[in-house]
Amino acid sequence: MIRLEHVTKRYDGGGAPALDDVTCEITRGEFVFVVGASGSGKSTLMRLITREISPSQGSVLVAGRDLVALPDRQVPALRREIGVVFQDFRLLEGKTVYQNVAFVLRVLGTKRHRIKQLVPETLDLVGLDGKAGRLPHELSGGEQQRVAIARAVVKKPPILLADEPTGNLDPETSAEIVTVLDRINKTGTTVAMATHDQGIVDDFRKRVLELADGVLVRDEASGGYLRDADRYDDLEDEA
Amino acid sequence: MRVTFLLGEVANGIRRNASMIISVVLVSMVSLFFLGAGLLAQREVSVAKGFWYDKIQVSIYFCTSQSTGTPSCTGGEATKAQQDQVKSQLEGMKPLVERIYFESSGQAYDRFKQQFRNSPYLSDVSADSLPASYRVKLSDPDKYSDVVDAFRGQPGVEAVSDQSRVLGTFFKLLNVVSVGAVGLAVVMVICAILLITTTIRQVAFSRRRQVSIMRLVGASSTVIYLPFVIEILIATLLGAVLAIALLWALVHYGVEGLFNTRGAGGDLVSMIGTQDVWDFAPWLVVGAVLIALVTAWFTLRRFLRV
């Protein structure tokens, strides 16, 4: 579903690469945590998958597309197959919960009767049934993140990327949000969630990709570190 | 994206950025007004010059049956012999006389009807009241007085005139007005382009979250750009409509009202009318659409990457 092969990403400012020779694969229907300290390259990885940025070296394959060779005009089609959730929710303040979720479908030209069917279904999936008429500022942080998740999955994308979705939430609400993501994963959606919350990762026992200073240092599903233990310990101490 | 959703987005955009949209309307109006004024001034030059102005230097008008009070016309309408006499004299003046055109009374009437179509005097003029004439092109226009002196007062010749000497200053003035107006129009169009650029950047900034969501869910660049482009298009088209209304008012009250009415001096020079404004109106609208589309599209491509 998502495959990175020897991906290196350097930003224009120079310095150390944000991602350094990363190779990994996330298969269809998986739930993967991408962990690492701030600046370790988690968000860069997410942005590479949505083709907001391109790698300096290596190749990125998502949903059967080679993103390095993908023409710009085909990027929207790629993004229609990916839902994205952010730490800061990014809801439209002047629109209700229903309107925020329906906005995506309206932008994509979905028929009105289909919108009326999909939006309540999705709000129910994320546990927001009965709150369709609320405005974002009338909701708690956890509820706002549920709206953001509903907005990301209402178009039924095969891939859901969540970039630090629990970063602004207390531990209990964070666990609820990951439970919602887990529920979505069980419907067949591939989920990749970037987080630096080790507690969440430990509690949910999913596959873990760990980045440190742009290097993939752990892929738990593969059963061992990709780098030697001493180097990883050094990186951990620095972090 | 469905039409109702698109229109809703456009209406929201206009409401939230009303002051910027109004400034685009006003700048478009002023720039297109000056452009239209320049074009109308050029049209006035063309209308006033008529058919012969750029082709000849001297006109020799023959007496008509209605010519009275001119000593050389006491014999009534110029005879064929008198006309032939003038022709042979003109041919004798070569090479100063480069070309000779004969315009019959009927041809003169047809051209008069075309040239003075906006004049209230048109209905007063009958075909036989306009004189036949020889129109003469000179190899050296500065020697026009040689020809004028040779024919003035000759039997059958009512008048010899050099229209260009009379109207030259007027046309020079109109050309200055025309060039000035088009020059101002160019400056104002640059202002309009810069303002549209700024407006789009501001509108895009105020809607950055919405745009980022549209981009991430897979909206195409056309879907993302369209509300912005339509808002700017509406503003510039409104500016064009207002500019056309202003030009119409200028011509209707300022030109037709003052010059194309009886006793107002409109019989001296044929003037443009409101029909000329309608002739230019589609081009002003096309200009407005082009300014809006090209500027908006380039600005969006530059500042709103999808």
Side-chain angles (χ1 to χ4, degrees):
Chain A
M1 197 82 206
I2 300 170
R3 193 161 83 233
L4 280 75
E5 290 176 354
H6 301 292
V7 170
T8 296
K9 176 62 186 175
R10 284 188 186 81
Y11 289 106
D12 291 342
L19 282 182
D20 190 0
D21 195 26
V22 171
T23 297
C24 64
E25 181 169 8
I26 300 169
T27 55
R28 187 182 299 273
E30 265 195 297
F31 189 124
V32 178
F33 286 119
V34 181
V35 302
S38 295
S40 60
K42 303 188 297 292
S43 294
T44 296
L45 183 70
M46 296 289 178
R47 294 177 69 205
L48 281 168
I49 295 169
T50 55
R51 239 301 287 272
E52 284 185 78
I53 54 174
S54 294
S56 308
Q57 283 167 25
S59 65
V60 181
L61 288 99
V62 177
R65 295 176 173 86
D66 178 356
L67 301 199
V68 176
L70 191 72
D72 285 349
R73 66 175 184 284
Q74 288 179 22
V75 171
L78 164 78
R79 290 180 184 160
R80 274 172 231 146
E81 299 198 28
I82 304 171
V84 188
V85 179
F86 299 96
Q87 181 176 351
D88 58 354
F89 321 138
R90 301 192 190 179
L91 301 178
L92 298 172
E93 289 301 324
K95 293 186 191 289
T96 64
V97 167
Y98 184 96
Q99 288 168 335
N100 263 283
V101 178
F103 179 75
V104 173
L105 299 174
R106 292 202 169 117
V107 165
L108 297 178
T110 308
K111 288 193 163 40
R112 195 185 297 262
H113 70 89
R114 186 87 178 115
I115 294 174
K116 281 183 180 167
Q117 179 194 343
L118 282 172
V119 175
E121 259 179 37
T122 312
L123 289 177
D124 190 35
L125 177 70
V126 300
L128 279 176
D129 199 19
K131 296 199 171 164
R134 301 274 186 90
L135 290 167
H137 70 265
E138 297 168 343
L139 301 173
S140 68
E143 287 171 331
Q144 289 190 48
Q145 193 56 289
R146 285 168 194 255
V147 179
I149 294 169
R151 184 179 63 191
V153 298
V154 71
K155 59 180 177 170
K156 302 204 178 294
I159 300 168
L160 176 63
L161 303 178
D163 192 359
E164 302 273 9
T166 59
N168 285 347
L169 305 175
D170 59 67
E172 193 181 333
T173 311
S174 296
E176 287 172 13
I177 290 298
V178 181
T179 302
V180 169
L181 295 178
D182 193 32
R183 198 182 304 151
I184 289 163
N185 173 243
K186 286 190 167 57
T187 65
T189 306
T190 306
V191 178
M193 172 176 157
T195 181
H196 60 262
D197 186 338
Q198 193 63 50
I200 288 277
V201 177
D202 292 341
D203 287 349
F204 281 84
R205 297 179 175 274
K206 303 285 184 184
R207 182 183 169 196
V208 176
L209 298 173
E210 183 160 353
L211 291 164
D213 287 344
V215 178
L216 184 64
V217 293
R218 181 161 63 114
D219 184 345
E220 202 169 86
S222 66
Y225 299 125
L226 296 181
R227 302 279 165 164
D228 61 84
D230 290 339
R231 174 170 158 71
Y232 177 60
D233 288 341
D234 290 345
L235 291 168
E236 199 173 41
D237 290 340
E238 283 169 24
Chain B
M1 185 155 49
R2 307 189 79 75
V3 174
T4 48
F5 177 65
L6 175 65
L7 294 179
E9 290 297 301
V10 169
N12 276 339
I14 290 174
R15 200 176 59 241
R16 272 184 265 161
N17 297 283
S19 61
M20 291 299 278
I21 295 293
I22 289 170
S23 50
V24 171
V25 170
L26 294 177
V27 171
S28 307
M29 178 189 79
V30 174
S31 55
L32 292 168
F33 174 78
F34 279 117
L35 186 62
L39 293 172
L40 285 173
Q42 275 301 309
R43 173 66 67 95
E44 173 55 36
V45 170
S46 156
V47 166
K49 277 179 176 175
F51 181 77
W52 290 110
Y53 185 85
D54 288 325
K55 301 182 182 66
I56 55 135
Q57 282 80 42
V58 180
S59 300
I60 300 165
Y61 297 104
F62 292 106
C63 299
T64 66
S65 56
Q66 296 175 21
S67 301
T68 54
T70 307
S72 56
C73 292
T74 47
E77 189 175 358
T79 63
K80 182 76 171 58
Q82 287 171 330
Q83 290 179 359
D84 289 346
Q85 170 67 24
V86 169
K87 189 181 180 187
S88 64
Q89 277 179 266
L90 282 171
E91 281 171 347
M93 295 176 83
K94 286 182 178 174
L96 174 61
V97 171
E98 196 175 287
R99 292 196 67 173
I100 307 164
Y101 306 88
F102 180 74
E103 185 178 59
S104 70
S105 182
Q107 288 168 333
Y109 183 66
D110 290 342
R111 290 208 175 100
F112 179 87
K113 279 196 295 188
Q114 173 62 27
Q115 187 179 356
F116 286 82
R117 60 187 179 278
N118 298 315
S119 170
Y121 292 91
L122 181 60
S123 57
D124 295 353
V125 177
S126 59
D128 60 354
S129 64
L130 291 175
S133 60
Y134 274 114
R135 308 286 182 151
V136 183
K137 180 173 172 57
L138 303 179
S139 56
D140 181 359
D142 287 338
K143 292 185 177 167
Y144 73 101
S145 58
D146 293 358
V147 182
V148 174
D149 293 343
F151 295 99
R152 184 168 285 156
Q154 184 166 319
V157 173
E158 184 177 19
V160 184
S161 78
D162 176 15
Q163 205 183 19
S164 63
R165 304 276 153 179
V166 179
L167 294 176
T169 312
F170 175 66
F171 290 149
K172 274 183 195 160
L173 177 69
L174 271 181
N175 275 325
V176 169
V177 170
S178 172
V179 169
V182 171
L184 274 173
V186 169
V187 173
M188 291 308 296
V189 165
I190 293 169
C191 285
I193 288 170
L194 293 174
L195 187 67
I196 288 170
T197 306
T198 311
T199 303
I200 287 177
R201 288 179 68 177
Q202 187 188 313
V203 174
F205 183 77
S206 71
R207 271 188 251 164
R208 61 194 180 283
R209 174 163 290 185
Q210 192 164 329
V211 168
S212 77
I213 292 164
M214 290 169 91
R215 194 165 49 195
L216 273 173
V217 301
S220 66
S221 52
T222 306
V223 167
I224 294 174
Y225 293 172
L226 215 50
F228 294 91
V229 173
I230 290 176
E231 281 165 40
I232 295 299
L233 197 59
I234 288 172
T236 46
L237 278 176
L238 198 55
V241 168
L242 290 174
I244 291 165
L246 276 180
L247 288 168
W248 183 90
L250 178 77
V251 171
H252 184 69
Y253 298 107
V255 176
E256 288 186 337
L258 294 177
F259 297 105
N260 284 354
T261 53
R262 286 175 181 277
D267 50 339
L268 290 176
V269 179
S270 56
M271 303 297 285
I272 50 169
T274 47
Q275 182 55 47
D276 295 290
V277 176
W278 298 128
D279 289 349
F280 287 127
W283 296 106
L284 293 181
V285 171
V286 168
V289 170
L290 280 180
I291 290 172
L293 289 184
V294 174
T295 311
W297 203 261
F298 275 100
T299 309
L300 288 165
R301 280 186 67 84
R302 183 158 175 214
F303 295 107
L304 209 66
R305 282 187 59 80
V306 175

